[in-house]
Amino acid sequence: MTTLPTPRGKLTESRNLNDLTWLRVGGPADFLFQPADIADLQTFMRDLLADISVFPMGVGSNLIVRDGGLRAVVIRLGRGFNAISVEGNTVTAGAAALDAHVARKAADEGVDLTFLRTIPGSIGGAVRMNAGCYGSYTADVLRKATIVTRQGDVVDLTPEDLNFRYRQSDLPAGAVLISATFEGPSGDPEELHARMSAQLQKRDESQPTKDRSAGSTFRNPAGFSSTGRADDVHDLKAWKVIDDAGMRGATLGGAQMSEKHSNFLINTGDASAADLEGLGEEVRKKVYETSGITLEWEIMRVGDPLTE
Ligand SMILES: Cc1cc2nc3c(=O)[nH]c(=O)nc-3n(C[C@H](O)[C@H](O)[C@H](O)COP(=O)(O)OP(=O)(O)OC[C@H]3O[C@@H](n4cnc5c(N)ncnc54)[C@H](O)[C@@H]3O)c2cc1C
């Protein structure tokens, strides 16, 4: 029987994670901890036995949690970690703030973080994943990230510390991001809001935004960088090689490669994590057989499969 510190926030034993992920799959975490505030998180981390794993989770828009769940304390930030403030061109947001809210609030104040508007994650997930679209990435605008370390200390990290790469950054093991500071270019609020509306519409036209997905399933196969520089070419699209392998619309149980965008893996209703991951692996195999390309997962897969 594991004994955990008693926090002021909410600690739930054996909590299913399926309703906390966009794909609506995932078995139980040993514990789910929703800290009340920074001090509560610090004390909990400090007092938690060092051999107990911690998994910080955002809003689960880039995750397949396997059906057997996670042998860890999952930490999910909520109220107390979602404040957004704007001063000049500097925007500071709590890690639980949604990217879309941050983009809108920044635009209201004439700061261009519009690329965040259509990404359905939280700021913690955006920093960890170096989220980006339309040629802009979190790495371009991040100035500082603040974490609580596994030992319970509050530490500021620079962009260099985070070592941003395509859809990736480095955090100390077990650390929880609690806030981030960005600096965006100036823009006219009306123009920024109009641009975000256009981007939302573009997404709805080209991606299955109403389905349960976790965004792009695989990385595009070639030539990426996290900088969005003009010389960053990415000619070969994952959806194209998936189409070439005949896997658009392919199904396994309740999982499907979307007919609308073949690099989107969707839960059509009753998919298990095993269906989704299994279909993804089937796609990787078929793509390798037809084009010799090894697709790399962009969706993070965590936890244990179910054992019989
Ligand atoms: C329809 C759709 C469209 C998408 N389009 C895009 C896109 O255009 N561009 C793009 O980049 N992504 C896209 N995504 C993927 C996803 O939204 C991003 O990766 C997002 O940044 C994930 O944020 P999250 O809060 O959901 O993180 P989660 O999925 O919950 O977690 C992702 C990773 O971040 C870590 N993490 C989350 N919060 C914290 C924290 N507070 N401290 C430490 N680590 C943390 C987790 O441990 C995990 O490793 C899309 C997803 C969907 C469903």
Side-chain angles (χ1 to χ4, degrees):
M1 168 84 182
T2 317
T3 316
L4 265 65
T6 309
R8 281 181 288 115
K10 195 171 173 195
L11 184 64
T12 315
E13 190 168 359
S14 190
R15 169 64 159 83
N16 265 317
L17 297 176
N18 51 6
D19 61 329
L20 300 181
T21 68
W22 269 64
L23 279 166
R24 293 288 184 273
V25 293
D30 286 346
F31 290 90
L32 177 71
F33 175 41
Q34 297 158 281
D37 52 31
I38 297 173
D40 191 33
L41 176 60
Q42 281 187 270
T43 310
F44 183 85
M45 295 281 258
R46 199 188 53 223
D47 294 347
L48 186 68
L49 292 176
D51 62 351
I52 298 180
S53 301
V54 155
F55 181 79
M57 181 173 174
V59 292
S61 64
N62 198 50
L63 288 180
I64 291 176
V65 177
R66 296 193 179 99
D67 303 307
L70 267 169
R71 305 290 70 80
V73 178
V74 169
I75 298 186
R76 196 167 191 269
L77 307 181
R79 273 197 303 274
F81 294 87
N82 60 4
I84 306 167
S85 66
V86 185
E87 237 185 279
N89 284 31
T90 302
V91 178
T92 300
L98 293 176
D99 299 350
H101 291 174
V102 176
R104 284 210 301 261
K105 178 114 186 222
D108 289 345
E109 305 296 327
V111 183
D112 182 355
L113 295 180
T114 49
F115 75 95
L116 286 173
R117 176 63 187 89
T118 58
I119 301 174
S122 66
I123 289 299
V127 174
R128 172 69 180 81
M129 300 304 300
N130 188 17
C133 57
Y134 306 122
S136 297
Y137 298 80
T138 303
D140 301 334
V141 292
L142 185 112
R143 297 295 171 260
K144 186 179 87 175
T146 305
I147 59 168
V148 170
T149 65
R150 180 63 182 78
Q151 294 72 34
D153 301 317
V154 173
V155 173
D156 287 340
L157 300 179
T158 64
E160 291 70 35
D161 294 329
L162 287 158
N163 185 24
F164 283 115
R165 300 171 311 283
Y166 181 71
R167 298 286 193 263
Q168 235 176 307
S169 68
D170 292 340
L171 287 179
V176 179
L177 275 154
I178 52 169
S179 70
T181 302
F182 306 101
E183 198 179 318
S186 302
D188 169 54
E190 218 169 291
E191 197 272 322
L192 296 175
H193 280 287
R195 195 189 310 161
M196 293 192 291
S197 300
Q199 287 173 347
L200 280 173
Q201 196 182 340
K202 195 169 154 193
R203 284 252 181 188
D204 286 341
E205 283 162 13
S206 59
Q207 296 179 358
T209 49
K210 305 284 179 282
D211 290 324
R212 293 170 183 175
S213 81
S216 297
T217 307
F218 302 107
R219 296 167 180 212
N220 288 326
F224 274 96
S225 128
S226 61
T227 62
R229 288 191 318 257
D231 61 347
D232 289 339
V233 287
H234 36 92
D235 301 316
L236 199 52
K237 300 289 188 190
W239 67 261
K240 176 75 170 63
V241 294
I242 294 169
D243 277 3
D244 291 348
M247 294 302 278
R248 180 180 290 256
T251 59
L252 179 67
Q256 183 179 35
M257 298 313 293
S258 167
E259 291 281 5
K260 190 166 181 180
H261 190 308
S262 56
N263 194 25
F264 274 60
L265 180 57
I266 58 180
N267 179 353
T268 61
D270 58 355
S272 61
D275 291 342
L276 292 159
E277 192 172 12
L279 180 58
E281 287 302 329
E282 185 66 23
V283 168
R284 293 182 73 227
K285 188 163 159 264
K286 285 276 171 15
V287 166
Y288 184 75
E289 281 166 13
T290 47
S291 61
I293 289 167
T294 304
L295 286 177
E296 277 179 57
W297 283 90
E298 183 163 318
I299 299 174
M300 292 189 70
R301 290 139 306 121
V302 296
D304 301 331
L306 265 188
T307 46
E308 292 309 313

